[in-house]
Amino acid sequence: MLSADRLRAQMALHGLSQAELARRVGISQQTIAHLVSGQAFGSKHIHQIARALGTTPAYLMRETDDPSSDAVLEEFTLEERTWIDLLRAAEPEDRKAIIRLTRTIATNAASATLHDKRLAFKGAETASIPAPPAGGKRKR
């Protein structure tokens, strides 16, 4: 049975509101509210909740008194959490494309130097941008 007291204490320790914890876990704020108030005694998301709080499911369920036993606390910046949320919202094929693109950018950035010709600016005389048709928009 989940301990509402321990859940509230861990949320306070990490400065998380019910809404923020719910957002990090990907569940409704109402679900967190039920757990915090003691109206619910468990959740299928207990592992994600524990991870977001830097503790273990065993601690939240009163199976141990050590809140850090084997816990992995993942500290992400707001930007990193935003990237994760966006990636989770994408369709599986789009996720693969995003990962390939990001990997390519990261690999190229790691190997690029200040004088890398791949990063050189192409002036108007060498750019291959076609002029738009008269009186209209470019075709895609």
Side-chain angles (χ1 to χ4, degrees):
M1 179 161 61
L2 184 114
S3 168
D5 292 338
R6 287 185 177 188
L7 178 59
R8 283 193 303 271
Q10 287 296 309
M11 289 172 60
L13 179 67
H14 294 285
L16 295 178
S17 65
Q18 291 178 16
E20 176 61 16
L21 179 58
R23 189 193 69 73
R24 288 184 183 190
V25 176
I27 59 177
S28 72
Q29 185 270 329
Q30 185 177 16
T31 298
I32 298 296
H34 286 162
L35 293 169
V36 167
S37 68
Q39 293 175 345
F41 301 108
S43 170
K44 65 182 180 180
H45 303 284
I46 191 68
H47 286 82
Q48 292 101 327
I49 292 169
R51 185 175 297 122
L53 293 172
T55 190
T56 63
Y59 177 74
L60 294 177
M61 301 294 282
R62 291 192 183 271
E63 295 170 5
T64 182
D65 289 329
D66 183 0
S68 62
S69 178
D70 298 325
V72 177
L73 178 60
E74 296 182 33
E75 290 290 332
F76 293 112
T77 65
L78 178 59
E79 182 182 42
E80 291 167 334
R81 288 194 310 265
T82 301
W83 273 101
I84 292 168
D85 291 343
L86 291 171
L87 188 61
R88 286 179 177 161
E91 294 295 323
E93 287 302 313
D94 293 335
R95 286 182 196 171
K96 290 177 186 175
I98 292 166
I99 290 169
R100 282 193 306 270
L101 176 63
T102 305
R103 188 174 287 131
T104 299
I105 292 170
T107 302
N108 287 340
S111 65
T113 66
L114 179 62
H115 302 288
D116 193 330
K117 292 185 193 263
R118 293 176 297 170
L119 302 177
F121 173 77
K122 289 186 177 183
E125 68 277 12
T126 60
S128 60
I129 301 173
K137 299 177 183 173
R138 291 185 188 159
K139 292 182 181 178
R140 290 184 176 223

